[in-house]
Short mmCIF file of all heavy atoms in Angstrom, two decimals:
data_model
loop_
_atom_site.label_atom_id
_atom_site.label_comp_id
_atom_site.label_asym_id
_atom_site.label_seq_id
_atom_site.Cartn_x
_atom_site.Cartn_y
_atom_site.Cartn_z
N HIS J 1008 102.91 14.26 177.92
CA HIS J 1008 101.97 15.03 178.70
C HIS J 1008 101.60 16.32 177.97
O HIS J 1008 102.46 16.98 177.33
CB HIS J 1008 102.48 15.37 180.11
CG HIS J 1008 101.75 16.51 180.74
ND1 HIS J 1008 102.21 17.81 180.72
CD2 HIS J 1008 100.55 16.56 181.39
CE1 HIS J 1008 101.34 18.64 181.31
NE2 HIS J 1008 100.34 17.85 181.77
N ALA J 1010 98.67 19.90 178.37
CA ALA J 1010 97.63 20.54 179.19
C ALA J 1010 96.33 20.71 178.39
O ALA J 1010 95.24 20.30 178.86
CB ALA J 1010 98.12 21.94 179.62
N ALA J 1035 96.64 16.70 181.58
CA ALA J 1035 96.36 17.30 182.86
C ALA J 1035 96.84 18.74 182.81
O ALA J 1035 97.94 19.02 182.43
CB ALA J 1035 97.09 16.55 183.99
N GLU J 1036 95.93 19.64 183.26
CA GLU J 1036 96.35 21.03 183.36
C GLU J 1036 97.13 21.22 184.66
O GLU J 1036 96.63 20.78 185.73
CB GLU J 1036 95.15 21.95 183.34
CG GLU J 1036 95.49 23.44 183.38
CD GLU J 1036 94.28 24.34 183.38
OE1 GLU J 1036 93.17 23.85 183.27
OE2 GLU J 1036 94.47 25.57 183.52
N LEU J 1037 98.25 21.90 184.59
CA LEU J 1037 99.03 22.10 185.78
C LEU J 1037 98.72 23.51 186.36
O LEU J 1037 98.24 24.39 185.64
CB LEU J 1037 100.50 22.03 185.45
CG LEU J 1037 101.00 20.68 184.94
CD1 LEU J 1037 102.50 20.73 184.65
CD2 LEU J 1037 100.67 19.55 185.91
N GLY J 1038 98.98 23.66 187.62
CA GLY J 1038 98.74 24.98 188.26
C GLY J 1038 97.30 25.17 188.71
O GLY J 1038 96.92 26.30 189.05
N VAL J 1039 96.51 24.11 188.76
CA VAL J 1039 95.18 24.15 189.27
C VAL J 1039 94.98 23.14 190.36
O VAL J 1039 95.76 22.16 190.50
CB VAL J 1039 94.11 23.87 188.13
CG1 VAL J 1039 94.27 24.95 187.03
CG2 VAL J 1039 94.28 22.47 187.54
N PRO J 1040 93.97 23.31 191.18
CA PRO J 1040 93.73 22.31 192.28
C PRO J 1040 93.60 20.88 191.73
O PRO J 1040 92.89 20.66 190.72
CB PRO J 1040 92.44 22.75 192.91
CG PRO J 1040 92.42 24.24 192.67
CD PRO J 1040 92.98 24.42 191.30
N GLY J 1041 94.28 19.92 192.34
CA GLY J 1041 94.19 18.53 191.93
C GLY J 1041 95.01 18.20 190.73
O GLY J 1041 94.91 17.06 190.23
N ASP J 1042 95.88 19.12 190.24
CA ASP J 1042 96.63 18.83 189.04
C ASP J 1042 97.52 17.60 189.11
O ASP J 1042 97.49 16.77 188.21
CB ASP J 1042 97.44 20.08 188.63
CG ASP J 1042 98.37 20.61 189.76
OD1 ASP J 1042 98.29 20.05 190.88
OD2 ASP J 1042 99.09 21.59 189.52
N VAL J 1043 98.25 17.48 190.19
CA VAL J 1043 99.21 16.35 190.30
C VAL J 1043 98.43 15.02 190.43
O VAL J 1043 98.82 14.05 189.80
CB VAL J 1043 100.11 16.55 191.51
CG1 VAL J 1043 100.92 15.33 191.81
CG2 VAL J 1043 101.08 17.71 191.27
N ALA J 1070 107.24 21.32 181.48
CA ALA J 1070 106.08 22.25 181.29
C ALA J 1070 106.30 23.53 182.07
O ALA J 1070 106.69 23.51 183.25
CB ALA J 1070 104.82 21.56 181.73
N ILE J 1072 105.28 28.16 181.92
CA ILE J 1072 104.72 29.32 181.28
C ILE J 1072 105.61 30.53 181.56
O ILE J 1072 106.23 30.59 182.62
CB ILE J 1072 103.26 29.60 181.70
CG1 ILE J 1072 103.19 29.79 183.21
CG2 ILE J 1072 102.29 28.52 181.23
CD1 ILE J 1072 101.85 30.24 183.73
N ASP J 1087 101.25 34.34 191.16
CA ASP J 1087 100.81 33.06 191.72
C ASP J 1087 100.69 32.00 190.59
O ASP J 1087 100.99 30.83 190.85
CB ASP J 1087 99.45 33.23 192.41
CG ASP J 1087 99.58 34.01 193.70
OD1 ASP J 1087 100.72 34.18 194.20
OD2 ASP J 1087 98.54 34.47 194.24
N ARG J 1088 100.20 32.40 189.43
CA ARG J 1088 100.07 31.45 188.31
C ARG J 1088 101.39 30.93 187.92
O ARG J 1088 101.56 29.75 187.69
CB ARG J 1088 99.37 32.17 187.15
CG ARG J 1088 99.26 31.33 185.89
CD ARG J 1088 98.34 30.16 186.00
NE ARG J 1088 98.17 29.41 184.75
CZ ARG J 1088 97.72 28.21 184.67
NH1 ARG J 1088 97.41 27.53 185.75
NH2 ARG J 1088 97.62 27.63 183.52
N LEU J 1089 102.38 31.82 187.72
CA LEU J 1089 103.76 31.38 187.37
C LEU J 1089 104.34 30.43 188.38
O LEU J 1089 104.92 29.39 188.02
CB LEU J 1089 104.64 32.61 187.19
CG LEU J 1089 104.39 33.46 185.95
CD1 LEU J 1089 105.08 34.80 186.06
CD2 LEU J 1089 104.93 32.72 184.70
N MET J 1090 104.20 30.74 189.67
CA MET J 1090 104.72 29.87 190.66
C MET J 1090 104.01 28.53 190.75
O MET J 1090 104.64 27.48 190.96
CB MET J 1090 104.64 30.58 192.03
CG MET J 1090 105.54 31.81 192.19
SD MET J 1090 107.33 31.49 191.98
CE MET J 1090 107.61 30.49 193.45
N ALA J 1091 102.73 28.58 190.53
CA ALA J 1091 101.96 27.35 190.59
C ALA J 1091 102.33 26.35 189.46
O ALA J 1091 102.44 25.16 189.72
CB ALA J 1091 100.45 27.63 190.48
N VAL J 1092 102.54 26.88 188.23
CA VAL J 1092 102.83 26.02 187.13
C VAL J 1092 104.33 25.63 187.10
O VAL J 1092 104.69 24.49 186.90
CB VAL J 1092 102.45 26.69 185.79
CG1 VAL J 1092 102.90 25.85 184.60
CG2 VAL J 1092 100.96 26.93 185.73
N ASN J 1093 105.18 26.64 187.36
CA ASN J 1093 106.64 26.41 187.11
C ASN J 1093 107.35 25.86 188.32
O ASN J 1093 108.45 25.29 188.12
CB ASN J 1093 107.26 27.74 186.71
CG ASN J 1093 106.76 28.32 185.41
OD1 ASN J 1093 106.10 27.60 184.65
ND2 ASN J 1093 107.04 29.54 185.14
N ALA J 1094 106.82 26.04 189.54
CA ALA J 1094 107.56 25.56 190.69
C ALA J 1094 106.74 24.60 191.56
O ALA J 1094 107.27 23.53 191.89
CB ALA J 1094 107.98 26.81 191.56
N LYS J 1095 105.54 24.97 191.88
CA LYS J 1095 104.73 24.12 192.78
C LYS J 1095 104.44 22.78 192.12
O LYS J 1095 104.58 21.72 192.74
CB LYS J 1095 103.46 24.84 193.22
CG LYS J 1095 102.61 24.03 194.18
CD LYS J 1095 101.35 24.82 194.55
CE LYS J 1095 100.49 23.97 195.54
NZ LYS J 1095 99.27 24.72 195.90
N ALA J 1096 103.86 22.83 190.93
CA ALA J 1096 103.49 21.58 190.24
C ALA J 1096 104.64 20.58 190.08
O ALA J 1096 104.54 19.40 190.41
CB ALA J 1096 102.81 21.87 188.90
N PRO J 1097 105.79 21.06 189.58
CA PRO J 1097 106.90 20.11 189.44
C PRO J 1097 107.36 19.58 190.79
O PRO J 1097 107.70 18.36 190.86
CB PRO J 1097 108.03 20.99 188.86
CG PRO J 1097 107.33 22.09 188.13
CD PRO J 1097 106.13 22.39 188.97
#
Side-chain angles (χ1 to χ4, degrees):
H1008 163 262
E1036 182 180 357
L1037 299 180
V1039 299
D1042 53 357
V1043 170
I1072 57 174
D1087 289 346
R1088 174 68 176 161
L1089 286 164
M1090 294 299 294
V1092 175
N1093 297 346
K1095 182 179 179 180

